Amino acid sequence: MRQDSPKNSSQSATPTARKQYDELRRLYPTIKDFMLANSPDRQLEVCNNPDKCHFGSSPTLSQLNACYGETAAEAWLVPQLYELGDFEGLKGQADRHQLAKTAKIITTEFYYLKTDELMLFFYRFSAGRYGQFYSYFTPSVIIRGLRDFLKERARAFEQYEQAVRERSWQEAKRKAVTYEEYMENMQRRESMVPISEDMAE
């Protein structure tokens, strides 16, 4: 499974990556535009199609930073994290330092995750799939939850790759020529070969 380098920049990016960044900036000229379009409210939308989250075209955290600046991914993550704590109705909501440091850890450790994948994670966390907070915002609970999410993600990639292999095999099988068809083709070709004058005599 390929993972982007966390130190990519749009200046040193490949032509393909630069094209992706140009398209991203065309859709969302600034990180604020991206944040508005991909706020926590969008979690309910993305959770309906996990495959699109994993295999769709949303940018990774490292790509956000390469496109908009080195703190762009953290800026996008902070509202996602705040909303998670707010939804849980915690007695002690996260302070600015906790949110910023948690966002930094996620950006550093999980830079290869797509933003849609992370929104899928936050939705599933809210649904109680990866543990829970106990009255107070606890960053380590989120990090452990992300590691559980990665196991599910790995299984999704395995199933996807298996499906691709299966489709390729079925396509090859469909195009393959059986031995009987091969012999029929050979006989057909031989019947079309003109008889030489020597053989005719």
Side-chain angles (χ1 to χ4, degrees):
M1 202 185 313
R2 185 179 177 277
Q3 296 175 351
D4 302 315
S5 166
K7 295 182 179 179
N8 278 346
S9 68
S10 56
Q11 289 77 21
S12 61
T14 64
T16 301
R18 281 198 295 273
K19 186 176 179 182
Q20 291 174 336
Y21 300 149
D22 288 344
E23 176 62 14
L24 189 58
R25 281 189 288 262
R26 185 187 70 78
L27 293 170
Y28 313 106
T30 69
I31 187 59
K32 288 183 179 179
D33 295 316
F34 182 86
M35 290 168 65
L36 285 171
N38 294 275
S39 71
D41 293 338
R42 197 169 160 261
Q43 291 173 19
L44 288 173
E45 175 190 334
V46 303
C47 75
N48 290 321
N49 194 341
D51 281 351
K52 187 176 179 182
C53 295
H54 296 308
F55 310 114
S57 59
S58 69
T60 65
L61 294 179
S62 64
Q63 287 172 336
L64 274 188
N65 283 350
C67 188
Y68 298 113
E70 62 182 15
T71 61
E74 294 166 41
W76 174 77
L77 278 166
V78 165
Q80 307 285 336
L81 291 165
Y82 182 86
E83 195 274 343
L84 183 63
D86 188 54
F87 176 80
E88 294 284 328
L90 302 177
K91 291 179 182 178
Q93 177 58 287
D95 60 31
R96 184 178 298 181
H97 173 71
Q98 281 180 308
L99 292 170
K101 188 167 183 178
T102 305
K104 178 67 175 177
I105 291 170
I106 293 173
T107 301
T108 302
E109 296 293 319
F110 306 99
Y111 58 87
Y112 49 87
L113 288 178
K114 296 179 177 181
T115 52
D116 279 3
E117 288 182 300
L118 283 156
M119 282 197 282
L120 176 64
F121 162 75
F122 288 123
Y123 169 81
R124 288 178 174 176
F125 190 101
S126 298
R129 194 154 167 169
Y130 307 119
Q132 64 185 56
F133 297 120
Y134 292 97
S135 299
Y136 296 92
F137 184 87
T138 312
S140 60
V141 173
I142 297 173
I143 304 305
R144 284 197 298 271
L146 269 168
R147 300 202 184 280
D148 289 336
F149 175 76
L150 288 184
K151 296 173 186 175
E152 293 182 344
R153 181 179 185 264
R155 286 194 292 272
F157 271 79
E158 287 171 9
Q159 291 169 359
Y160 177 81
E161 290 163 3
Q162 178 61 36
V164 170
R165 287 194 295 269
E166 179 69 20
R167 284 196 298 271
S168 298
W169 183 81
Q170 291 292 347
E171 183 67 15
K173 184 180 176 182
R174 186 181 65 79
K175 292 179 178 178
V177 177
T178 65
Y179 177 75
E180 290 78 10
E181 290 171 331
Y182 172 77
M183 292 305 295
E184 287 176 10
N185 290 338
M186 288 297 292
Q187 289 172 359
R188 221 180 277 113
R189 288 196 191 98
E190 288 172 1
S191 68
M192 296 173 65
V193 174
I195 301 174
S196 66
E197 291 181 5
D198 291 341
M199 291 179 66
E201 293 174 358

